[in-house]
Amino acid sequence: MELKRLNVRVRCDNGACRNDADYAVKRSGTPVTRELHLCADCLAAIAGLYERSAGKKGSGTKKKGGKNVGTNMGDRD
């Protein structure tokens, strides 16, 4: 994944936020239309949530069969 600073004016993709986006989160090999646009405040809030939850055991969501899905995404591209 890549985090890049935006040079164009677009809205933050957080539905409750009315700010202009400052950053785009992009996955390798995906089109520009699939980027996640976030303002600096929302990006900082998400980073804080991750930092608080990453250190806790069992922070991932369990599904049938005992496989973890959810917050533990690792360093995937």
Side-chain angles (χ1 to χ4, degrees), residues 2 6 12 35 37 43-45 47 60-61 63-64 67 71 73-74:
E2 177 185 349
L6 289 174
C12 180
E35 291 178 348
H37 299 119
L43 182 60
T61 308
K63 82 175 193 185
K64 225 176 194 179
K67 293 183 181 178
T71 59
M73 294 183 68

Side-chain angles (χ1 to χ4, degrees), residues 14-29:
N14 182 358
C17 183
R18 296 189 177 269
N19 295 330
D20 288 337
D22 299 305
Y23 297 94
V25 179
K26 185 179 186 300
R27 199 173 190 83
S28 301

